[in-house]
């Protein structure tokens, strides 16, 4: 964080701002292991010195439990085990995220903000959360878009984010074609169904939920990483 503070002084903010000024919030997503505690202590000292607030998030929130937060300018994950949670938090708060191993203090600090597509799940009870990779639902469900171009009574549904939208496939007696969708998908569940979201399996609650495109997640990566479309220096 000390390197980032020095590197961002006086810069114009990016679309996902990497501009850390006094009064801003640094969010730390961590476990309770020794390494995480050491990082927490070090970041708190840096934040206090820079006039920033450290938002300490432990345990890492499960899917559907991302807390509300404001003025977050950077999210840091202490270990690979909390990386998914940290990325969901970053996407929800429109803040860039640093994952373990992303920054080498022995290298010059030339970084990129890398946008990656994501989806937002709006639960029927008012909660929201982010899908970073893919979500699969197995059980009786109805899914449809407002335009009606995609509407199925299905026994399974798979969605994954793509730039500007998502890929969706519903399975009934036969699988529907994989369709790119640019509009939200309403999913109605009369009973809970088994779901696998970003590799984690659990019951998805009954109700009417909406899945749609979210703002991109911005990861901080080294400048010497292979450039991709949309990368910001």
């Amino acid at each position: 964080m000390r390197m980032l503070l020095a590197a961002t002084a006086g810069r114009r903010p990016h679309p996902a701002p990497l501009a850390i000024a006094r009064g801003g919030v640094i969010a730390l997503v961590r476990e309770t292991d020794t390494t995480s505690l050491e990082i927490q202590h070090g970041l708190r000292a840096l934040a206090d010195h820079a006039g920033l607030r450290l938002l300490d998030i432990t345990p890492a929130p499960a899917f559907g439990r991302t807390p509300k937060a404001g003025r977050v300018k950077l999210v840091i994950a202490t270990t690979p085990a909390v990386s998914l949670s940290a990325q969901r938090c970053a996407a929800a708060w429109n803040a860039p995220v640093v994952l373990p191993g992303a920054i080498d203090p022995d290298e010059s600090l030339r970084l990129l903000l890398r946008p990656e597509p994501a989806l937002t799940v709006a639960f029927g009870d008012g909660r929201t959360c982010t899908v970073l990779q893919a979500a699969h639902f197995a059980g009786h469900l109805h899914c449809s878009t407002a335009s009606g171009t995609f509407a199925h009574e299905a026994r399974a549904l798979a969605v994954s984010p793509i730039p500007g939208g998502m890929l969706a496939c519903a399975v009934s007696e036969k699988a529907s074609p994989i369709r790119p969708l640019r509009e939200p998908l309403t999913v109605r569940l009369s009973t809970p169904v088994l779901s696998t979201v970003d590799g984690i399996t659990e019951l998805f609650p009954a109700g009417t939920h909406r899945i749609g495109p979210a703002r991109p997640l911005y990861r901080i990566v080294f400048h010497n990483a292979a450039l991709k479309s949309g990368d910001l220096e």
Side-chain angles (χ1 to χ4, degrees), residues 49-108:
H49 179 73
L52 306 173
R53 186 164 69 88
L54 182 65
L55 177 60
D56 190 15
I57 301 174
T58 182
F63 181 79
R65 302 295 177 184
T66 300
K68 295 184 182 299
R71 303 188 69 183
V72 176
K73 298 302 182 183
L74 182 68
V75 179
I76 299 173
T78 59
T79 63
V82 301
S83 289
L84 277 176
S85 292
Q87 290 175 85
R88 285 195 291 262
C89 289
W93 303 332
N94 195 33
V97 62
V98 177
L99 300 180
I103 295 178
D104 184 347
D106 295 327
E107 296 282 346
S108 61

Side-chain angles (χ1 to χ4, degrees), residues 7-87:
T8 59
R11 286 191 180 182
R12 173 181 290 183
H14 293 294
L18 181 51
I20 309 171
R22 294 184 69 86
V25 177
I26 306 297
L28 178 67
V29 182
R30 67 176 179 90
E31 299 176 299
T32 56
D33 59 286
T34 301
T35 297
S36 295
L37 288 171
E38 289 176 350
I39 293 173
Q40 188 257 359
H41 292 152
L43 287 181
R44 186 170 297 283
L46 283 170
D48 289 346
H49 179 73
L52 306 173
R53 186 164 69 88
L54 182 65
L55 177 60
D56 190 15
I57 301 174
T58 182
F63 181 79
R65 302 295 177 184
T66 300
K68 295 184 182 299
R71 303 188 69 183
V72 176
K73 298 302 182 183
L74 182 68
V75 179
I76 299 173
T78 59
T79 63
V82 301
S83 289
L84 277 176
S85 292
Q87 290 175 85

Side-chain angles (χ1 to χ4, degrees), residues 118-144:
L119 300 176
T120 292
V121 177
F123 293 88
D125 60 8
R127 292 178 295 133
T128 61
C129 205
T130 304
V131 175
L132 301 168
Q133 300 167 354
H136 303 84
F137 308 92
H140 183 262
L141 56 90
H142 176 81
C143 55
S144 62

Side-chain angles (χ1 to χ4, degrees), residues 197-221:
V197 180
D198 294 336
I200 299 173
T201 300
E202 58 184 52
L203 281 177
F204 204 83
T208 299
H209 316 291
R210 286 167 61 85
I211 304 173
R215 292 173 300 198
L217 164 72
Y218 283 85
R219 287 197 304 114
I220 295 176
V221 299

